[in-house]
Amino acid sequence: SPELELKAEVDMLAHHSHLRCRFPYRQKLLSQLGFLSPANCPDHEKWKQDLQLKSVSIVFASAYLGNPSSIFGHSFLK
């Protein structure tokens, strides 16, 4: 059940605040939706700043279109 899965995720992050920065974008989405209060994750912010990215591309090295796991297994970020 998606509803029960969401409840379990919110409960886990609410009761184990040290996990919030391990899943920063999940935490951010749940706080934007009002399920959690915003968290401060300085290590994640420093990591993002150190990357100095201007863009990201998804590259498919090869794939067998009849098998979705092949598409995800043969892709990488550039």
Side-chain angles (χ1 to χ4, degrees), residues 48-67:
K48 284 192 326 185
Q49 288 175 356
D50 289 347
L51 287 176
Q52 298 180 2
L53 293 176
K54 293 186 179 53
S55 68
V56 175
S57 300
I58 297 176
V59 179
F60 296 105
S62 66
Y64 170 62
L65 295 179
N67 184 350

Side-chain angles (χ1 to χ4, degrees), residues 2 5 10 16 24 27 29 31 36 43-44 56 61 70 72 78:
E5 185 177 341
V10 170
H16 302 283
Q27 176 352 93
L29 174 66
S31 68
L36 294 170
D43 290 340
H44 179 72
V56 175
S70 176
F72 291 111
K78 176 181 175 190

